[in-house]
Amino acid sequence: MSVLEEIIHSDPILILTGAGISKESGLSTFRDPDGIWAKYRIEDVATPEAFQTNPKRVLDFYNVRRSQMNNPLIKPNKAHTALAELEAFWPGGVLLVSQNIDDLHERGGSKKIIHMHGELSKSRCNNCDEITYFQDNLSPESKCDHCGFIGSIRPNVVWFGEMPLHMELILSELGLCRLFLSIGTSGNVYPAAGFVQEARQNGAFTVELNLEKSEVGSYFHESHYGPATDLVPEFVGKLRDLL
Ligand code: BV8
């Protein structure tokens, strides 16, 4: 019997997702040949230094992605909704840690979500730290509604060189989970890419669902390769059968 069958229904599950889970909804990944980093340089659009040097270029980069995310044609896919179903039926509890800054997990029905790299739907003021929902475009002339500052508004996302959000909580949950499931991430970006080793050291059963073997694929007990909209509903079905 696969070790998965040793997972009992009272065991907590921690799920890590990356851009691959949103690909079939129509959002680009980062490191696929047609990905975002094939069109933009990280140093130009996804670091605090880039924002200091050329705030308009950075804000426009996120304005384009925010309008893509808000396109009515972009909808949660079967992988997002399967994870929401798992959260609803799994007695041991499910925590979803996403590297993604889109809102497809929320719209797919998941409730317990940590966006460790922030959220595209929110902006943050560098002057007063106020975080607000923001659906339109940001510009260097945008004014903070809370403190009135102009030019201090940035997307509430984590850039390279910045500390991901809620790391203490994530690390403590990695110590408690009995199943660690990684979906749609290339395993290139740390500290997220190191979570599988953390979970495995703490005794979790680790599974990778991805289109192809990730950079950290060899750390997983079990791997399945293919599109998330096939793999995730199938895997969630296997967990349902354990109950
Ligand atoms: C930090 C938000 C320190 C913005 C992003 C070791 C330890 C710690 C840090 C480092 C380290 N080594 C290097 C670092 C620095 C750096 C890093 O990891 N660099 C890499 C490039 C080497 N890490 C950082 O800077 C992090 N911060 O460490 O701070 C610190 C300490 C103290 C005090 C202060 C600071 C911060 C990293 C977060 C950066 N922000 N995003 C935005 O979105 O614009 S990261 C960026 O990559 C993306 O946003 C995404 O979140 C992340 C991971 O990408 P993936 O989601 O995996 O996407 P990718 O395209 O790579 O892969 C997609 C996968 O899906 C592929 O495998 C593909 O095959 C698969 N796929 C495709 N289609 C499908 C599919 N799978 C299934 N179905 C399909 N249909």
Side-chain angles (χ1 to χ4, degrees):
M1 90 176 176
S2 111
V3 183
L4 181 59
E5 273 138 29
E6 289 175 16
I7 299 290
I8 53 173
H9 53 270
S10 57
D11 287 341
I13 297 175
L14 193 148
I15 300 168
L16 174 69
T17 60
I21 199 169
S22 299
K23 179 79 181 288
E24 291 163 271
S25 292
L27 292 181
S28 298
T29 60
F30 291 87
R31 293 168 185 85
D32 285 333
D34 61 345
I36 292 172
W37 300 144
K39 301 179 184 88
Y40 296 88
R41 292 174 67 246
I42 289 177
E43 300 75 15
D44 290 342
V45 293
T47 66
E49 295 74 19
F51 185 63
Q52 283 296 326
T53 319
N54 189 336
K56 184 169 180 349
R57 180 165 63 183
V58 172
L59 295 174
D60 284 344
F61 170 65
Y62 288 98
N63 290 338
V64 166
R65 290 173 64 192
R66 192 177 302 109
S67 61
Q68 283 165 351
M69 179 180 78
N70 293 333
N71 180 326
L73 296 177
I74 302 291
K75 294 189 180 74
N77 61 53
K78 286 188 294 182
H80 296 107
T81 50
L83 294 185
E85 286 157 21
L86 174 62
E87 181 183 347
F89 75 69
W90 188 256
V94 176
L95 174 63
L96 176 53
V97 177
S98 188
Q99 299 175 87
N100 300 340
I101 61 175
D102 64 60
D103 58 359
L104 292 174
H105 281 305
E106 286 82 353
R107 291 168 55 202
S110 289
K111 304 267 183 294
K112 251 180 96 183
I113 306 168
I114 293 179
H115 283 281
M116 65 179 290
H117 291 162
E119 296 171 82
L120 195 49
S121 59
K122 293 178 183 168
S123 67
R124 185 170 87 229
C125 175
N126 268 340
N127 180 57
C128 68
D129 281 338
E130 180 77 4
I131 293 174
T132 47
Y133 272 98
F134 208 90
Q135 293 302 314
D136 312 316
N137 287 338
L138 290 173
S139 83
E141 291 71 43
S142 296
K143 181 176 162 190
C144 173
D145 292 342
H146 188 249
C147 70
F149 238 69
I150 290 177
S152 57
I153 303 279
R154 59 170 280 179
N156 190 36
V157 302
V158 175
W159 285 324
F160 287 90
E162 293 185 321
M163 180 57 91
L165 306 175
H166 312 296
M167 280 304 294
E168 252 180 71
L169 173 59
I170 294 170
L171 291 171
S172 71
E173 292 295 330
L174 280 169
L176 299 171
C177 72
R178 298 275 56 79
L179 173 62
F180 175 78
L181 179 58
S182 176
I183 305 170
T185 179
S186 63
N188 270 290
V189 175
Y190 287 82
F195 289 174
V196 55
Q197 289 161 273
E198 194 74 32
R200 190 171 177 137
Q201 272 153 24
N202 292 325
F205 184 68
T206 56
V207 177
E208 177 170 72
L209 306 180
N210 204 50
L211 198 60
E212 63 205 357
K213 185 171 183 179
S214 73
E215 291 294 312
V216 292
S218 48
Y219 290 111
F220 290 86
H221 291 103
E222 192 175 300
S223 306
H224 303 277
Y225 300 126
T229 53
D230 290 345
L231 296 179
V232 179
E234 186 184 350
F235 193 81
V236 168
K238 279 188 199 164
L239 290 170
R240 194 190 292 272
D241 294 346
L242 294 179
L243 296 188

